[in-house]
């Protein structure tokens, strides 16, 4: 057998480079460096208004990755932070429910399309289940949801008035054409 799982265990736990560290240690060090860099860049983007594209450039150069890989990471992490901030505001303001809003176009994922318009309890929020981001490059967000019969009646009344106004404008145009 050319390769089995014990080879992987042995590889990850042995020192095989002259830097004196195991593969596991090297990976952990790189992950820590990535985490620190992403945190620093997110602070610059969110708190200081640095453009996302600047974060992408730093990630590209520092970790020797493609633009799309760096952009995906930056976009997803920024989306996560923005949505967590929104959720914190819901909790602080006593919002009980939120409505899921997906950006609907030809790039919308099946899961976001399915969740679009659904209403959830803030207490039941789960990122990746019923709260964005649902996946890498997720563009979805949420809005507070306040349903009351009075609001619904107002909306229905406004729609009725708008329909009547359109009908009246149509009648007026017809009268003008007959003159």
């Amino acid at each position: 057998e050319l390769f089995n799982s014990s080879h992987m265990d042995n590889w990850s736990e042995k020192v095989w480079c002259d830097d004196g560290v195991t593969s596991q240690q090297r990976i952990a060090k790189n992950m820590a460096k990535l985490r620190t860099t992403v945190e620093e860049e997110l602070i610059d983007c969110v708190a200081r208004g640095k453009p996302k594209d600047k974060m992408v450039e730093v990630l590209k150069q520092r970790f020797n990755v493609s633009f799309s890989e760096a952009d995906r990471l930056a976009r997803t992490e920024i989306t996560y932070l923005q949505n967590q901030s929104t959720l914190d505001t819901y909790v602080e303001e006593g919002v009980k429910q939120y409505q899921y809003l997906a950006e609907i176009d030809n790039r919308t994922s099946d899961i976001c399309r399915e969740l679009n318009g659904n209403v959830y309890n803030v207490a039941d929020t789960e990122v990746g289940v019923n709260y964005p981001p649902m996946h890498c490059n997720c563009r979805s967000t949420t809005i507070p949801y306040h349903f009351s019969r009075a609001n619904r009646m107002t909306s229905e009344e406004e729609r009725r008035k708008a329909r009547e106004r359109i009908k009246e404008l149509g009648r007026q145009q017809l009268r003008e054409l007959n003159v």
Side-chain angles (χ1 to χ4, degrees):
E1 184 176 316
L2 185 61
F3 182 83
N4 64 40
S5 61
S6 67
H7 293 136
M8 185 57 83
D9 291 339
N10 289 335
W11 163 81
S12 65
E13 295 173 358
K14 291 197 188 269
V15 175
W16 55 270
C17 281
D18 51 352
D19 61 2
V21 297
T22 67
S23 293
Q24 281 181 332
Q25 292 168 327
R26 189 175 297 103
I27 290 168
K29 180 181 176 185
N30 287 337
M31 289 299 293
K33 182 179 173 187
L34 175 62
R35 184 180 306 112
T36 300
T37 301
V38 169
E39 287 173 0
E40 289 170 354
E41 292 302 312
L42 282 171
I43 289 169
D44 281 351
C45 283
V46 176
R48 298 185 182 117
K50 179 179 175 181
K52 174 187 66 81
D53 290 345
K54 298 286 187 191
M55 178 180 179
V56 170
E57 275 305 310
V58 169
L59 293 172
K60 262 181 58 179
Q61 291 171 2
R62 202 166 289 171
F63 297 100
N64 194 28
V65 296
S66 70
F67 173 85
S68 62
E69 291 171 315
D71 187 62
R72 179 179 56 238
L73 177 61
R75 181 185 317 276
T76 304
E77 294 304 319
I78 290 169
T79 298
Y80 175 82
L81 278 180
Q82 289 170 333
N83 280 294
Q84 284 303 125
S85 178
T86 299
L87 182 59
D88 290 347
T89 302
Y90 292 167
V91 171
E92 289 169 13
E93 297 298 321
V95 173
K96 301 292 184 216
Q97 294 182 305
Y98 63 89
Q99 186 172 25
Y100 193 97
L101 293 179
E103 181 70 34
I104 302 295
D105 59 21
N106 64 347
R107 297 183 302 150
T108 305
S109 68
D110 291 341
I111 186 66
C112 289
R113 191 176 301 276
E114 183 180 314
L115 295 174
N116 187 49
N118 290 354
V119 176
Y120 299 97
N121 293 324
V122 170
D124 299 330
T125 299
E126 288 186 64
V127 174
V129 174
N130 60 16
Y131 198 81
M134 299 301 294
H135 50 79
C136 292
N137 280 328
C138 188
R139 299 174 292 148
S140 297
T141 191
T142 64
I143 57 171
Y145 182 80
H146 300 287
F147 178 81
S148 72
R149 217 159 165 66
N151 287 346
R152 185 169 180 213
M153 296 300 273
T154 302
S155 297
E156 288 173 4
E157 177 66 16
E158 287 172 353
R159 284 194 295 269
R160 185 188 61 74
K161 285 180 181 178
R163 281 192 303 271
E164 286 180 11
R165 179 75 177 130
I166 289 168
K167 285 179 188 175
E168 179 56 37
L169 288 172
R171 284 187 213 110
Q172 183 179 354
Q173 287 176 346
L174 283 174
R175 282 193 299 269
E176 290 171 5
L177 287 175
N178 287 331
V179 172

